[in-house]
Amino acid sequence: MKLRILAPSAILAAATVLSAVPALGAIPTVPATRALQYLAGQQLADGSVDDSLGETADYALAAKYHGIDPNTLTASSNKSVYDYLITWLTGSATCAAANNNSRDGNNIGKLVQAVTAGAHDPTNFGGRNLLADLEGPGGTTGGVYNSLTGTFADCATGGQNAVYAQASAILGLEAAK
């Protein structure tokens, strides 16, 4: 008898709690809109935000998830975030160079996320296969993934941002699905 009473009581309690949570459409968007307007004001002539791959990619992602096509994010020079991302990629180096323009798990993972947010092909962006840069051919060592350790390289900071390298690479691979 106790079970019969507990089940409806639990359902009623859950319904009461869930009814207090605002619907998704009720979430205020004015702050996000204003933040995106601020970022648009920070966009440089080359299409970037702060001449930074990460910040520019985050700008594209924020726009996408706010319902704005990231392909429309252009500077007064008419350069888009994607123009900058291709320029960054063209000037990037392998992990052996170990600098801020290194193709490592963090940078390439973030780039793949931004590329897919704009409905671009991560297997042919700026003349590169970004997924091969991450995983290597067939998902084996050859990209920045080390199949022996199961980790993605963090070249730009020498391991100081290893968590970001793993998370960004994973998010990039998931975004590309």
Side-chain angles (χ1 to χ4, degrees), residues 64-84:
K64 169 71 175 181
Y65 292 111
H66 191 62
I68 298 169
D69 180 357
N71 291 293
T72 65
L73 304 176
T74 56
S76 59
S77 65
N78 214 29
K79 296 276 188 174
S80 74
V81 294
Y82 293 101
D83 291 325
Y84 171 76

Side-chain angles (χ1 to χ4, degrees), residues 138-149:
T140 59
T141 300
V144 296
Y145 177 71
N146 182 330
S147 62
L148 298 176
T149 63

